[in-house]
Amino acid sequence: MDIEKPSNKTAGKPIQCRAAIATAPGEPLVIDEVIVDPPNSHEVRVRIICTSLCHSDVTFWKMKDFPAVFPRILGHEAIGVVESVGENVDGVVEGDVVIPHFLADCTECVGCRSKKGNLCSAFPFKISPWMPRDQTSRFKDLRGETIHHFVSVSSFSEYTVLDIAHVVKVDPTVPPNRACLLSCGVSTGVGAAWRTANVEVGSTVVIFGLGSIGLAVAEGARLCGATRIIGVDVISEKFEIGKRFGVTEFVNSKNCGDKSVSQIIIDMTDGGADYCFECVGLASLVQEAYACCRKGWGKTIVLGVDQPGSQLSLSSFEVLHSGKILMGSLFGGLKAKSDIPILLKRYMDKWSYVPFSGTRAG
C-alpha cells in the first residue's frame, strides 16, 4: 500500500482530527472533531489507515453499566502508520506500519516471557477508559472535556495514541483491509485452534457460533489438520459460508427436537468431540460445549464475551470423573508481537495447507 510519510510539523503537538464518539448507551455514534495529545513516554501516536467493527465494540456501545463509560472512542481492530513516538520507545519509528492489539505484550514480564500463556502480568487486560501506564486520556473534545479510551486502542479516530506494549510492527505490503482483522477477530479464532487448543491432525472440532470468530476458529482448525469441523448456529445459511472456512457439517440448534444440541453432537461423534469452541458469549452454550466434548481428553475453549456477572454451573462430580478441560482463550492465546507476523506471512503465502505447529518458539 502507498504510505504517506508523517510530517515532522505535528510531532510533539496536539492534533485535531475527526472521530466517531459513543456518547450514550446504544445511541448513534457522533462524528466530531477531537484533540489527540502527543504521545508520552512508551507511547506512539498512530494515523489509522483502516479499522473494522468487532462485536465487542457493539457490546460495550450498548452496555449501560460499568465498565461502560461515556463519552468514549470505541474500535480495536485496525492498522495504521506511526506519526510520532514518545520517549523510551524501541522497535518502531515514525513511518512504520503497525497493528494495535488490545492484549498487552510487553515482552519483558513473567507472563510475556513464558511459553505457557499470553497474559501480560505488567499490564493485565481490563476494560479501562485510560492509557495503561498513567491512567489518563489522550483524547478531549474542542471544549477540553475528556473523551475515554477503549481497551488501549480506540481506532474509531483518524489518530490514536497507543502504548508500545499494544503495538506490533508489520509488513507494509499487507492489504490494510485484511491486516486490520488480525487486531482481534481473526487472530482470536485462528489462535484459539492453533495456540490454545493445539488442535491435532485428524481430530474432531465443534464450533458453537459461526460469526467472524467462529469462522476464524474453523480456518484455524482446518490449518491444524482437523478432519471433522462441525458448526452449530441458529441460522442454517451460515453453513454455506462456513464451508469456505473448513466447516464439514452443520447443526441448527433450533431444530434439535427433544434432544439437547450436546446430545446431538455426542451422537454424531460417537461419544463427543475432541475440541469444542464457544464463540457466542452465553453461559448456557459453554455448558453445552462442555457437555459434548469427549470424556478423558476433550477440551472446551471459551471465546465468546458474555455479560459481566454471568455464571457457569457445573457438577463437581462430573468435573472430577469426566477428565475434560474447560479453559478461556483471550486473544486466541497469541503473543501479538511474535504471532501476528506469523499469521500475516501465512496470509501473504496464500495460507499454505501445511498444518500449524502448536509449539511456541522462543
Side-chain angles (χ1 to χ4, degrees):
M1 58 183 164
D2 294 329
I3 303 296
E4 180 183 338
K5 296 296 183 182
S7 171
N8 289 332
K9 295 180 181 179
T10 56
K13 302 175 182 177
I15 287 179
Q16 181 173 330
C17 67
R18 293 176 300 169
I21 307 168
T23 59
E27 293 295 318
L29 303 186
V30 176
I31 307 297
D32 206 350
E33 296 289 317
V34 299
I35 303 297
V36 184
D37 288 337
N40 284 354
S41 179
H42 300 98
E43 296 174 358
V44 296
R45 187 163 58 189
V46 173
R47 177 173 61 86
I48 298 297
I49 298 171
C50 184
T51 188
S52 53
L53 178 68
C54 175
H55 194 267
S56 296
D57 296 310
V58 177
T59 297
F60 285 94
W61 166 62
K62 293 180 177 179
M63 194 176 293
K64 297 179 180 180
D65 301 317
F66 190 83
V69 178
F70 300 93
R72 172 178 251 166
I73 297 175
L74 297 168
H76 62 283
E77 291 188 338
I79 186 171
V81 177
V82 175
E83 173 270 336
S84 59
V85 301
E87 297 179 353
N88 301 307
V89 170
D90 296 318
V92 299
V93 297
E94 293 178 5
D96 281 346
V97 177
V98 295
I99 288 178
H101 42 90
F102 70 89
L103 194 66
D105 185 2
C106 76
T107 73
E108 298 175 350
C109 71
V110 172
C112 290
R113 292 199 313 268
S114 173
K115 299 178 183 179
K116 298 177 181 179
N118 69 329
L119 300 184
C120 179
S121 51
F123 304 105
F125 174 73
K126 52 186 175 181
I127 312 294
S128 171
W130 312 114
M131 294 295 292
R133 293 181 196 258
D134 64 6
Q135 305 301 299
T136 62
S137 176
R138 302 292 172 269
F139 297 114
K140 54 181 176 285
D141 63 23
L142 298 187
R143 299 182 301 277
E145 298 294 323
T146 295
I147 302 175
H148 299 94
H149 292 254
F150 181 60
V151 294
S152 302
V153 178
S154 293
S155 60
F156 291 173
S157 174
E158 292 178 314
Y159 287 85
T160 190
V161 176
L162 307 164
D163 191 279
I164 194 61
H166 291 271
V167 171
V168 56
K169 179 181 176 180
V170 297
D171 181 351
T173 65
V174 178
N177 63 342
R178 302 295 191 270
C180 68
L181 300 176
L182 292 178
S183 278
C184 181
V186 171
S187 291
T188 296
V190 173
W194 169 34
R195 288 299 195 197
T196 304
N198 192 12
V199 169
E200 297 170 316
V201 173
S203 56
T204 297
V205 169
V206 177
I207 303 167
F208 288 80
L210 291 181
S212 59
I213 300 290
L215 294 174
V217 171
E219 178 73 354
R222 181 183 69 83
L223 290 169
C224 289
T227 302
R228 298 180 69 185
I229 303 175
I230 304 170
V232 179
D233 206 289
V234 296
I235 302 175
S236 296
E237 289 75 13
K238 288 187 178 181
F239 184 28
E240 290 304 313
I241 299 173
K243 287 178 181 178
R244 297 187 303 204
F245 294 86
V247 176
T248 59
E249 299 155 76
F250 181 82
V251 174
N252 188 319
S253 56
K254 293 196 301 184
N255 300 330
C256 293
D258 58 357
K259 289 186 176 182
S260 65
V261 65
S262 57
Q263 187 58 55
I264 296 289
I265 297 296
I266 290 171
D267 293 344
M268 289 176 65
T269 57
D270 192 25
D274 301 305
Y275 305 95
C276 292
F277 297 84
E278 198 283 333
C279 305
V280 178
L282 289 174
S284 59
L285 282 184
V286 174
Q287 293 179 195
E288 286 290 287
Y290 184 77
C292 66
C293 71
R294 187 172 292 273
K295 291 183 178 180
W297 65 78
K299 289 183 182 179
T300 297
I301 315 298
V302 180
L303 301 172
V305 179
D306 206 342
Q307 293 294 322
S310 294
Q311 300 289 317
L312 290 175
S313 178
L314 297 172
S315 163
S316 61
F317 183 89
E318 181 185 356
V319 170
L320 173 63
H321 289 85
S322 67
K324 303 177 183 181
I325 296 172
L326 173 63
M327 60 191 305
S329 180
L330 199 56
F331 197 53
L334 299 185
K335 292 183 183 293
K337 293 186 188 299
S338 55
D339 286 334
I340 285 179
I342 293 174
L343 293 180
L344 284 172
K345 187 175 188 308
R346 293 294 295 260
Y347 172 77
M348 296 299 282
D349 290 344
K350 305 301 181 185
W351 293 88
S352 168
Y353 283 85
V354 177
F356 269 127
S357 168
T359 303
R360 193 185 298 280

